[in-house]
Amino acid sequence: MKFALSVLLLLLMASPAFALDGTALLKQVDRNLNPESYEMYRKLINVEPDGRKKEFTLFSVKKGADKIAAVFLAPASEKGRSTLRLGDNMWLYIPNVGKPIRITSLQSVVGGVFNNADILNLDYAVEYDVARVEDAGNEHLLYLKAKTRSVAYDQIKMWVDKGKKLPTKIECLTEANLLIKTIYFKDHKDFGGGIVRPAVIETDSPLYKGYKSIMIYAKIKKRSFKDEVFTLTYMPNIESLR
Amino acid sequence: MRPVRFRKDFPVQALIWSAVLVIGILLFCVPLVRGEESYTFDVAEIEKKPYSFGGYVEFRPVLNILDKDAALYQLQYYYKDPRSNLMEWNGRLQLEGSYEKGIGRVYVKTNTDLSYSSFADGDERSAFFEAYGTLKPSSAWKVEVGKKNLKWGKGYAWNPVNFFDRVKDPNDPDLSLEGNIMVTADYVRSFDGPLKTLAITPVLFPVYDHINDDFGINNRLNVAAKIYLLLFDTDLDFIYAADGSRTARYGMDFSRNLTTSFEMHGELAYIKDFQKPALDAGGIVRSTTEDAVSGLIGIRHLTTFDLTTILEYYHNGTGFSADDMENYFRFIRSGYQLYQTTGNDQKLRAAQKLATGGYGRAGPTEDYLYLRLSQKEPWDILYFTPALTVMVNLNDWSHSITPELLYTGITNLELRFRASFIRGSRDTEFGEKQNDYRFEFRVGYYF
């Protein structure tokens, strides 16, 4: 009887480890990656199989759960192009064209493996539910399922460092479980203001064999913005926020 | 339109093969640099300066295969020796700069076009495309004064609600255009709920001597306004332009993503008392005044394999009927015969004047269909986009078909090759164009 009670007690004590709150963990990962409202600079590098590279520099601003905008600073051919995302709505403003046009999350304004959803990414917890969590040694493996059909990837597998509560690898999958791309998080860096996160994200895709794209982060900092910054009217002026 | 026989010394093959060769060399044979595993992001690269300079330079040879029997050939080249092809050498230089301080910013963009062809000697035209100052006292307010474009409307090839800007060329809708002098303000508010954004844009558009004096009746201060709503995830614009240099106009447009990969857009314009001078069968100009309704409906679709389709139907309520166009082409033809027999070009000059009055504008008739298919990065060739554009005049079924190759793989360099096949029987819009074929190679460099 004593033995049975001891086993029951042990099981009860052990159960919290298995009942890890995946949603809370995902929200923690989101906050560790970025403050909810921020500004930051990114350099995107597309690398072709033969080693040729093309680089883009972006300035991005985000507010709350579903507002994000970015403007290209370089190269000269892309300078002044800006993108805006309000929830599921996305627009691209090209200075020559002079007016915002609607774009989709699966398109890519830069070419290469990163698409618009990767460049204008919202918090994962905004777009995905945690279907289940598995233990993977030093990492948690989160299985994420898109909340709506308008989300770029139907499923995501996210490996999260147990100590740092930051992702190390993400696999983006279709509804039929086909791998679209793999994203690797590298080079942890202290950006100041309590933001310690990977400074480099690398991605490759079976759809683009031999190609890879790299995103390097700089100057991430908390900043608050008025809602009016995230409007079509403001798109030609996003660079003035720098 | 007669079939064209290529002579042995004909330069068309040379132009095509040169363009294909250049794109091929750049795609596959550019000296390659092995990828490095470490990537740097120097903070100095993103240091903000109050000023900026940049520009664009372009070289664009064009080979036109001419249709000597076409009315517009006869109108344009009646005084030249007849020939079956025309080589154009075009150049463009655009310079832009800005200076920003506090809530103010000044922006200037100049444009210089150079052209030389075997029919016309060299031509050069320089203009300020844009030159305006911006005051932005808060994120909700913006005031702009100077020369600029409004770019109203959601259509890709046409914008019937764009009441003030110069009409864009549906063959190259993304080209930057010369602006007009005006004062605009923007007031924008954001909300939670189904109405996410409300923006109001009042416009003052002066037309006086040397200020927008090609727009309409002189000595008028034109007033207009646009209200923009982002309502239930749909972009909506309501536009009003008061009676002034042109008659009063009302417009609305919308754009909405029906799914993540399927966008729908449309425009509707109502123009009060539109005056249309049109030639009758006897060659007499008769002006009619009536309210006109123009509209556009279009879709943009992206497949999983990155094929973008743009399809638009455009009804131009201010356009000429097929009969009007036929009368115009016959008028030119009779003028050409008169010139050949007597040397009198008075009728052709009158026809040229009518061309600037409406017959010669891009899309002069009533109904058009526009289709553009562009495949991004086929066969895993990064930055390579082949496309096909088809434009059909639904009133006379004449059309143009334009395949295109675009490569942007070298930083700041853009290469585009286009071949246009312009088809139609006599007395139709495309059948009476001066050329049957057009081959264009464009090399553009941004700096």
Side-chain angles (χ1 to χ4, degrees), chain A residues 41-58 66-67 73-79 81 86-91 93-114 149-152 186-187 189 200 202 206-209 211-214 216-219 225-242, chain B residues 26-43 45-49 52-53 55 94 100 105 109 134 136 138-140 142 144 150-156 159 168 173-177 186 188-192 196-197 199 201 228 230 233-235 255-257 259-263 267 300 302 306 308 376-377 379-383 407-413 446-447:
Chain A
Y41 291 85
R42 282 175 291 176
K43 180 185 270 191
L44 263 72
I45 308 168
N46 287 334
V47 187
E48 295 180 51
D50 56 26
R52 277 188 289 191
K53 289 190 290 185
K54 196 169 179 187
E55 299 185 352
F56 306 84
T57 310
L58 290 120
D66 66 347
K67 298 182 181 74
L73 307 177
S77 57
E78 315 296 317
K79 189 173 162 50
R81 282 183 182 223
L86 287 177
D88 293 337
N89 301 287
M90 282 190 197
W91 297 266
Y93 171 85
I94 302 170
N96 258 2
V97 177
K99 62 183 174 191
I101 53 167
R102 280 182 174 259
I103 53 173
T104 75
S105 54
L106 284 171
Q107 275 178 289
S108 175
V109 289
V110 293
V113 189
F114 282 123
R149 295 188 73 83
S150 61
V151 177
K186 298 176 171 179
D187 191 12
K189 186 178 161 185
V200 176
E202 224 176 272
L207 307 177
Y208 291 84
K209 284 201 176 81
Y211 292 89
K212 67 177 174 178
S213 292
I214 293 114
I216 308 172
Y217 289 71
K219 288 189 165 182
F225 300 95
K226 296 269 189 195
D227 285 342
E228 284 72 24
V229 163
F230 303 91
T231 58
L232 299 195
T233 314
Y234 207 90
M235 284 185 82
N237 304 99
I238 292 169
E239 202 183 334
S240 67
L241 296 168
R242 297 214 294 140
Chain B
L26 289 165
L27 276 174
F28 303 109
C29 308
V30 165
L32 307 177
V33 180
R34 296 308 308 169
E36 295 164 22
E37 287 307 312
S38 67
Y39 303 98
T40 56
F41 191 4
D42 186 354
V43 180
E45 291 176 43
I46 50 176
E47 186 193 342
K48 190 180 179 184
K49 298 184 181 83
S52 75
F53 294 103
Q94 291 183 336
E100 191 175 339
R105 179 176 182 257
K109 181 178 187 176
T134 305
K136 206 151 46 63
S138 74
S139 54
K142 182 169 80 175
E144 291 187 329
L150 289 170
K151 300 286 181 87
W152 286 348
K154 302 292 184 209
Y156 179 72
N159 294 113
K168 64 186 178 186
D174 293 344
L175 274 187
S176 59
L177 296 172
D186 286 296
V188 57
R189 285 287 308 272
S190 291
F191 307 96
D192 292 324
K196 287 195 173 68
T197 310
T201 307
Y228 164 78
L230 176 56
D233 290 332
T234 306
D235 294 316
S255 172
R256 182 186 168 86
N257 275 88
T259 69
T260 50
S261 56
F262 192 93
E263 182 265 359
E267 298 184 23
R300 188 187 294 251
L302 177 76
D306 270 339
T308 299
K376 188 168 156 279
E377 299 171 353
W379 310 293
D380 283 352
I381 304 173
L382 215 55
Y383 316 115
Y407 181 67
T408 57
I410 296 166
T411 301
N412 294 327
L413 188 72
Y446 296 86
F447 56 94

Side-chain angles (χ1 to χ4, degrees), chain B residues 267-324:
Chain B
E267 298 184 23
L268 189 65
Y270 178 73
I271 301 165
K272 288 279 290 175
D273 302 327
F274 181 75
Q275 247 192 348
K276 183 165 66 179
L279 278 170
D280 66 12
I284 309 290
V285 179
R286 298 195 189 280
S287 199
T288 53
T289 302
E290 56 187 24
D291 297 348
V293 177
S294 295
L296 177 139
I297 189 89
I299 59 151
R300 188 187 294 251
H301 179 252
L302 177 76
T303 65
T304 50
F305 51 92
D306 270 339
L307 174 74
T308 299
T309 303
I310 298 172
L311 180 66
E312 289 184 345
Y313 163 71
Y314 170 45
H315 173 70
N316 177 13
T318 64
F320 297 103
S321 67
D323 285 345
D324 290 337

Side-chain angles (χ1 to χ4, degrees), chain B residues 136-276:
Chain B
K136 206 151 46 63
S138 74
S139 54
W141 277 101
K142 182 169 80 175
V143 178
E144 291 187 329
V145 183
K147 193 172 187 181
K148 56 175 276 196
N149 287 297
L150 289 170
K151 300 286 181 87
W152 286 348
K154 302 292 184 209
Y156 179 72
W158 295 279
N159 294 113
V161 301
N162 195 2
F163 296 139
F164 290 97
D165 292 342
R166 286 172 170 79
V167 178
K168 64 186 178 186
D169 179 1
N171 293 305
D172 227 336
D174 293 344
L175 274 187
S176 59
L177 296 172
E178 184 177 350
N180 289 301
I181 294 166
M182 64 186 89
V183 182
T184 64
D186 286 296
Y187 174 67
V188 57
R189 285 287 308 272
S190 291
F191 307 96
D192 292 324
L195 175 64
K196 287 195 173 68
T197 310
L198 166 71
I200 301 166
T201 307
V203 177
L204 289 176
F205 190 96
V207 177
Y208 295 94
D209 287 342
H210 310 298
I211 301 173
N212 306 328
D213 51 8
D214 57 349
F215 181 77
I217 300 169
N218 212 351
N219 294 318
R220 296 279 199 283
L221 181 61
N222 298 275
V223 178
K226 177 168 78 82
I227 294 174
Y228 164 78
L229 309 170
L230 176 56
L231 182 67
F232 290 108
D233 290 332
T234 306
D235 294 316
L236 283 167
D237 287 300
F238 297 95
I239 297 165
Y240 171 64
D243 190 35
S245 299
R246 294 179 182 175
T247 54
R249 277 132 218 258
Y250 305 83
M252 70 88 61
D253 66 39
F254 76 94
S255 172
R256 182 186 168 86
N257 275 88
L258 299 179
T259 69
T260 50
S261 56
F262 192 93
E263 182 265 359
M264 191 172 185
H265 56 267
E267 298 184 23
L268 189 65
Y270 178 73
I271 301 165
K272 288 279 290 175
D273 302 327
F274 181 75
Q275 247 192 348
K276 183 165 66 179

